[in-house]
Amino acid sequence: MKKEGEWKVLIMDHPSMRILSSCCMLSDFVDKGITLVEDINKRRETIPSLEAIYLFSPVEKSVQALINDFQGTPAFTYKAAHIVFINTCPEPLFNDLRKSRITKAIKILREINMAFLPYESLVYSLDGPQIFHNWFSSYRFLEKNKQMEMLAEQIATLCVTSKEYPAICYRKDREDNFQLAHAPSMGEIPGKACSQLLIVDWSFDLVSPLLHELTYQAMAYDLLSIENGTYKYETMGISDSQEKEALLDEDDELWVQLRHMHIANVSKKVTELLHTFCESKRLTMDKANIKDPSQILKMPQYQKELNKYSMHLNLAEHCMQHFKWTVEKLCSVGQDLAMGTDMDGQMIKDPMKIIVPVLLDPSPMQAYDKICIILLYIFLKNGIGLGNLIRLIQYANIQQLGNIIHSMQFLGISLVPRSGQLRPERKVRLESTYQLSHWTPMLKDATEDIAENKLDKKLWPFVSDPVPTTSSQAAVSPRFGHWHKNKPVAKYRTGPCLIVYVLGGVSMSEMSAEQTAGQGNEPLWGRWGPPFRSEHF
């Protein structure tokens, strides 16, 4: 905590900066006594009167920069050092610290195991966007092996931080899932009650990332230019327009409530909430004996809430405009190809008839959208001949991007006809859906099967079966030791938790679907990399 009149310098690297930026504001640093935030790998001013807090990953470049700060004479760069590593420091780097002059200035030296980013309240990122390439490229074998243990440590860290010690289950059809589930850092972690860690890779569901999702958050990020969670929009005044910005994050209660809703319900819900808000203020107005209702809504204390409602109405309308302009036709064709049936439930007898008009469409359609349509057609047909594939690429006029389609083979998919079934058997769903939202991500099937204890253990084996236990004595992990030795029961959430890790990234449609999956299990999503969106295929 900040002491009266005491200020410190905070020094970070890129990973730690991303972690803090995802959950803290600059004002939070000031409140804790931070007067200056610096990058450890850049030249910095010498301030011998202030102590420094170092928060960074223990890699050679950053550790050497730390040592250099306390080599100077007659004075060090800072008065003292409070060192916090965000993951485990390798023994060689720790020895380098021990041999240097910094030992005279260290006041704190800790490892906090915080190697993940909070993205939403139940969604986390392991922040490795390059891993998709390393994992699915046949030329990155060495890089993949190096990163395997790092990923295992990050997943274990997430579990420990969340106070969850689950049994590990993985999809059997890829060797990578097996290797990750059995990595040394995972250890033997028998389940706390029925908590489970589900490991699956990106190729498990190749359809969901190819479709335009019509939930609020997914549409906003898919169709609009939202960067770093910031939505920019214009409001029309009496004489001119004004550009505004809104941050779409956990502090926006409306955003949290609406983001996983279907877009068809969002505007209606915002209007209902606005009406409820106005009604509550009308009661306040009656008590205050104010006769003109418009006056109370002009009061400064209500402007922040009203601006939020206005912004979300604007955002929903903006999404719908782009939907009508660009992707409405694509959504219809994409859903039919994904399901193999039309909106009336009739089998599609000749899918070529519905895709050719889209591929030949002269309107300025995204090339990536055409690639998605071709891939969905290939999946539906269980592969197509090379000649047909070349013709489809020519129809779409995407010859320069044809290698993207051919690269699907690295995900274990054959583009040419073969025996067997590309399309897995799906769970029958009887609930009503919107016409352009028939498809349900396959991951929802798996998580619901876990909740109902119906998961096929031949396809989803456990490293060790989840066994409910009342004992507080924990097993030992080779990496983290006694993770959960004698933990008080009161510290845990009641009920089991499901942690899902998607190796290769997760689409927003899967994130939205998981919010309603589980039937009592609390979904705790784990993923790495930026949210996968179809236009970034």
Side-chain angles (χ1 to χ4, degrees):
M1 295 295 291
K2 175 180 180 292
K3 296 180 181 179
E4 188 67 30
E6 182 180 85
W7 296 91
K8 292 183 175 68
V9 179
L10 176 61
I11 302 166
M12 296 185 286
D13 61 358
H14 182 66
S16 59
M17 178 69 79
R18 282 179 55 79
I19 290 172
L20 285 192
S21 297
S22 68
C23 55
C24 298
M25 305 289 286
L26 185 59
S27 58
D28 297 326
F29 295 158
V30 176
D31 292 342
K32 296 299 181 182
I34 302 299
T35 186
L36 183 64
V37 178
E38 297 269 30
D39 187 328
I40 193 170
N41 293 311
K42 293 183 179 180
R43 292 180 61 87
R44 286 167 278 114
E45 180 185 356
T46 298
I47 313 178
S49 61
L50 293 181
E51 296 182 0
I53 300 172
Y54 289 83
L55 179 69
F56 64 97
S57 302
V59 296
E60 184 175 0
K61 181 180 180 181
S62 298
V63 170
Q64 190 57 52
L66 168 65
I67 292 172
N68 291 341
D69 283 347
F70 294 88
Q71 278 186 338
T73 55
F76 294 152
T77 305
Y78 304 106
K79 183 178 180 181
H82 304 257
I83 304 170
V84 182
F85 295 126
I86 62 174
N87 44 38
T88 306
C89 182
E91 195 70 25
L93 294 181
F94 187 83
N95 289 335
D96 289 344
L97 283 177
R98 191 173 57 183
K99 296 173 184 176
S100 69
R101 296 183 65 197
I102 195 176
T103 54
K104 299 178 181 180
I106 294 177
K107 284 193 172 182
I108 293 174
L109 179 58
R110 292 177 183 168
E111 297 172 344
I112 61 172
N113 292 319
M114 191 66 184
F116 59 88
L117 300 180
Y119 184 75
E120 290 183 8
S121 58
L122 294 177
V123 182
Y124 302 89
S125 168
L126 302 189
D127 199 28
Q130 77 286 355
I131 297 177
F132 179 89
H133 178 59
N134 291 343
W135 233 255
F136 294 106
S137 170
S138 59
Y139 306 106
R140 309 285 289 184
F141 183 77
L142 293 177
E143 289 84 351
K144 182 172 75 171
N145 286 344
K146 290 178 182 178
Q147 289 173 336
M148 178 75 75
E149 185 59 26
M150 179 193 72
L151 284 179
E153 287 189 16
Q154 288 180 285
I155 295 170
T157 296
L158 175 59
C159 292
V160 172
T161 306
S162 305
K163 296 184 174 64
E164 296 292 344
Y165 311 98
I168 303 172
C169 167
Y170 60 94
R171 179 73 179 181
K172 189 178 180 181
D173 53 3
R174 284 192 71 91
E175 179 67 18
D176 292 336
N177 299 335
F178 173 87
Q179 295 292 341
L180 184 57
H182 289 82
S185 289
M186 294 297 203
E188 283 293 321
I189 45 178
K192 185 269 294 184
C194 298
S195 293
Q196 295 178 17
L197 167 61
L198 184 71
I199 295 177
V200 62
D201 72 285
W202 193 86
S203 66
F204 171 59
D205 181 0
L206 294 172
V207 172
S208 294
L210 301 178
L211 298 172
H212 285 282
E213 169 70 4
L214 299 185
T215 49
Y216 188 36
Q217 180 188 41
M219 282 190 75
Y221 277 89
D222 183 9
L223 303 179
L224 309 181
S225 299
I226 295 178
E227 296 181 6
N228 300 319
T230 302
Y231 168 55
K232 297 180 180 180
Y233 63 105
E234 288 187 354
T235 57
M236 298 301 296
I238 297 176
S239 59
D240 58 356
S241 62
Q242 182 179 4
E243 186 173 290
K244 292 188 175 182
E245 292 185 358
L247 191 60
L248 305 175
D249 62 6
E250 299 296 307
D251 292 329
D252 184 346
E253 294 181 3
L254 263 181
W255 173 248
V256 172
Q257 184 177 354
L258 299 169
R259 62 189 171 194
H260 297 302
M261 280 188 182
H262 193 279
I263 191 65
N265 296 328
V266 172
S267 294
K268 181 181 178 182
K269 185 65 176 179
V270 174
T271 303
E272 289 176 356
L273 293 172
L274 178 58
H275 178 74
T276 302
F277 173 78
C278 292
E279 281 295 304
S280 67
K281 303 313 168 192
R282 185 182 64 79
L283 294 175
T284 304
M285 176 192 70
D286 291 343
K287 291 180 181 179
N289 197 26
I290 299 175
K291 296 181 180 180
D292 184 1
S294 63
Q295 292 302 312
I296 196 166
L297 295 180
K298 291 179 181 179
M299 294 180 180
Q301 61 265 40
Y302 300 131
Q303 292 310 302
K304 184 178 179 180
E305 290 93 335
L306 290 172
N307 287 338
K308 285 288 185 186
Y309 290 113
S310 175
M311 183 274 291
H312 282 289
L313 286 172
N314 191 299
L315 177 56
E317 182 182 359
H318 202 178
C319 287
M320 286 305 299
Q321 286 175 351
H322 280 263
F323 169 74
K324 292 289 185 181
W325 293 339
T326 59
V327 300
E328 184 173 15
K329 183 189 297 183
L330 285 169
C331 284
S332 177
V333 174
Q335 290 287 322
D336 290 352
L337 293 173
M339 297 296 295
T341 59
D342 60 22
M343 65 181 64
D344 298 320
Q346 300 298 315
M347 292 292 295
I348 299 176
K349 297 179 181 179
D350 188 1
M352 183 68 77
K353 279 187 177 180
I354 65 173
I355 72 166
V356 170
V358 174
L359 300 182
L360 295 176
D361 192 337
S363 64
M365 184 184 299
Q366 289 274 350
Y368 293 122
D369 283 326
K370 294 184 178 183
I371 290 173
C372 290
I373 292 297
I374 293 174
L375 287 173
L376 290 169
Y377 174 76
I378 293 172
F379 297 158
L380 175 63
K381 298 293 288 183
N382 201 28
I384 62 176
L386 181 59
N388 286 336
L389 177 57
I390 292 173
R391 277 192 292 275
L392 291 177
I393 291 174
Q394 289 174 343
Y395 288 156
N397 194 25
I398 54 170
Q399 289 88 338
Q400 292 182 341
L401 299 175
N403 63 313
I404 294 178
I405 297 174
H406 292 289
S407 294
M408 293 298 289
Q409 62 183 314
F410 294 121
L411 298 177
I413 297 300
S414 175
L415 301 180
V416 298
R418 64 176 184 179
S419 59
Q421 191 178 30
L422 260 180
R423 298 169 63 82
E425 190 174 335
R426 295 302 309 275
K427 185 174 183 177
V428 177
R429 295 184 177 275
L430 301 177
E431 65 264 29
S432 60
T433 58
Y434 291 94
Q435 288 186 350
L436 299 181
S437 300
H438 292 308
W439 175 262
T440 299
M442 292 171 61
L443 205 53
K444 186 174 182 179
D445 292 354
T447 51
E448 288 181 344
D449 284 345
I450 288 177
E452 299 166 6
N453 198 26
K454 295 180 180 178
L455 199 65
D456 186 349
K457 292 188 178 180
K458 292 181 180 178
L459 293 176
W460 301 89
F462 281 88
V463 174
S464 58
D465 288 334
V467 180
T469 177
T470 56
S471 172
S472 60
Q473 180 64 42
V476 177
S477 163
R479 185 70 178 88
F480 292 98
H482 291 273
W483 280 12
H484 39 325
K485 180 180 179 181
N486 301 322
K487 295 284 186 179
V489 176
K491 288 189 177 182
Y492 296 122
R493 274 191 311 273
T494 58
C497 176
L498 174 62
I499 304 171
V500 182
Y501 176 69
V502 184
L503 179 60
V506 63
S507 66
M508 287 197 171
S509 61
E510 291 169 314
M511 285 167 52
S512 294
E514 286 304 292
Q515 303 301 314
T516 58
Q519 298 182 3
N521 284 287
E522 181 179 356
L524 178 58
W525 266 90
R527 66 169 182 85
W528 55 258
F532 183 88
R533 302 193 295 279
S534 57
E535 78 271 21
H536 286 174
F537 184 82

